[in-house]
Amino acid sequence: MAAFWQQRGRRQENGGLGSVIDGLGSVFDVLLANARLVLGVSGAAVLAIATLAVKRLIDRATSPRDEGDPKAEQKSLEESWQDLALIKTTPKPPKKQRREDLSEPLLSPARPVVPDPRGCSVPLGAPQVESSPLRCLTLQEKLLSHSSQLAVPEIQASLVPQLARSICTQLQNFLRSKCPELPFGRFFLSGPLLDGLEVLAADHIHLMLPVVLDAGLWSLISGEDTVVRNPQYWMIKRIDLGYFPRGCSPWDRFIVGRYLSSSVLNETLHKLLVASINWPAIGGLLGCAIHPVMASRELKLEVKHDQVELSITLFPVVEMEDKVLLAVPPEGLVENLWLESFYRAEVSRVKELDAGDSGARQLCLRILNGVCRSQPSLHKLGGSPVTHVILHLSDTTSDWAEESLADRFQQVLEELVASLEKGVLLCYFNPKINLFSGLLEEEIDEMGFVLYRAISEPELLL
């Protein structure tokens, strides 16, 4: 009888708790029924697994234990930990996709399982394979590897000069028919692409428009003797107006204050390029679209082809007294100045030196041009300034073999930093000219900081 009442008391106790469990069970059923609508498929799966684990914990806690089994309590605890582990290892629903995650791979590659060296035994007599350490590349090897990545794509290297020459011919024919009184010389192309110094992409080229002057009617005046006090600029003065009045030279129409004005000549050519030339017809003939740049101070054409996009800059050029002068006046009120260009002399000198000692100056120059092109803060160092540093070093350093490329590259960086610290880089062909005179102080500081860091870690630039 006592056992009966004891069992009855247990059933009553379990019955009171059972009603609570039944109520919770109905709540879980309602949640599970609506979880798919509210949380989605993955969310409903997570809630179902968690609910099942909780119900199993409650059922196990309220179920009568077998008093005769001493391991029952331990067994129920182990099953409870397994249920908790089930909840913890339940995969979380995927988070909402972000725009920046679209470029990431959906599945990460499986990592190879690395066996524990302490748990595996090596059979006796088996040869042991020693793992070779990773080989670190030297700066020399990195530079040579980087130079192979700077090559202009073959399709661009062949198509761009051909397309630019066709445009050059069309422009020459137009100016001869539109302005027959102006004695332009034969137009020609110029730029690093034609000299083998271009890197990464052939997206720009120069078109030179020779202005033929009568040496008996014109003379040069150095910029040092003008108000700008800059030896890199020159003025072209009309002389002997008493004996040869205005009109004797076809270029007299571009005179301002007895000087041939580069600004007036550029403005006239810009009007012709924008308003007079039928570029859609020429572009249709050549299989491309040609548009003159309206707002640029320079004479520029944008060319879009199916395979390349090209920018052509036109430069009226005067060659007098062994000087090459471009119609590139400085910003400001002075409009009669012509900029002296050393590009032809730079390229000629570098190639001459390399031919004399089988040097790697051109290779070093291409790498540095690629660095300056890929680093926005170093854009203004590319081309002429780097070339002049290499030419200066060639006078003091004779070893320019390819095997010494890393040493020379490091030395060029050091010379550039030293020049930026002083704010002075002397022109190789005219020591009176400071090639850094046109840079702002902020630009010099930024370039100096980038190159100063690269002296200790040149790989930062590659």
Side-chain angles (χ1 to χ4, degrees), residues 317-329:
V317 55
V318 172
E319 297 189 36
M320 287 183 63
E321 302 177 8
D322 297 328
K323 303 284 190 301
V324 179
L325 307 178
L326 304 181
V328 184

Side-chain angles (χ1 to χ4, degrees), residues 285-342:
L285 180 65
L286 301 178
C288 61
I290 307 174
H291 302 284
V293 180
M294 305 287 290
S296 175
R297 293 180 68 249
E298 299 175 319
L299 303 174
K300 265 190 177 181
L301 299 175
E302 297 292 342
V303 182
K304 293 186 178 181
H305 190 271
D306 292 339
Q307 297 174 310
V308 295
E309 291 189 6
L310 174 64
S311 174
I312 301 179
T313 305
L314 284 65
F315 291 103
V317 55
V318 172
E319 297 189 36
M320 287 183 63
E321 302 177 8
D322 297 328
K323 303 284 190 301
V324 179
L325 307 178
L326 304 181
V328 184
E331 295 184 8
L333 300 177
V334 182
E335 57 181 11
N336 299 333
L337 295 177
W338 294 69
L339 177 67
E340 184 174 5
S341 172
F342 300 99

